[in-house]
Amino acid sequence: MLALYYLVRKLRTVSFSCKNIGINLSVVKQICSLGAAVFTTHSLATISQIVLTNMLKTYGAASVYGSEVIIAASGAVTKVSIVFLSSIVGIALGCQPILGFNLGNKQYERVKETYLTALRYGTIIAVIAFLVLQLFPGQILRIFNSDDPLFYEFAEKYIHIYFAMLFLNTIQPITSTFCTAIGKANLGFWMAVIRQGILLIPLLFLLPCWLGLDGVLLAGAVSDGGAAAFVLLVAKREVKALTKLQKGTA
């Protein structure tokens, strides 16, 4: 309703005309390319969570914990981690319009500064979240008020192994947004795919074949570390490219 009111009121900066109501394939393509990274990230997050839950259930049933305890514990840890992940996603999406605006104005130094600032503050949050979870898992898990000691035992193990590389988790979403905002939507798409689509989901099937339940947990840490290393290499290249553009316009 607010958008409709803005379009029809007299004092407006965007004109509204019936001839503008239609489908322009080139515009649709641009819109889809810009939203592909975020859409893919959320889609793969759902798929990877389904696979993770099924792997935990399968291999947890043969462990001392049992499948019910493992599913409950993993669900509790996931709820806690969502608070951290939401903060990182907020930083990534918040810096996107700033990146695009400054790129359009050829303010390449500001583009780099925005990206590096987002990466810096995101990393600070990631490190704090990592330390809190690794040092005080028991205190955090007690908010779920479980009476089963196995619940706390596995939940702490889950945190220590699966989130062993949590401090690196800010690099991939922010860099994916950065690539999309500077007009490299295809690169941003692959940045979104690398962690969950290329690494995590395949590892959830492969590692448990040799390591059992521990392999399920290790899949998270390995995919986080591998994705961060790859994304950092791409980010370094793109920042250098912006530096060249900056020198060319100086």
Side-chain angles (χ1 to χ4, degrees), residues 1 39 44 46 162 203:
M1 291 299 294
F39 174 78
L44 288 175
T46 301
Y162 192 85
L203 286 173

Side-chain angles (χ1 to χ4, degrees), residues 21 57 59 77 82 95 128 140 168 172 187 202 216-217 227 239:
I21 301 176
K57 182 180 179 180
Y59 289 93
V77 175
I82 284 175
C95 71
I128 292 173
I140 295 173
L168 297 175
Q172 182 263 336
L187 192 56
V216 180
L217 302 182
V239 169

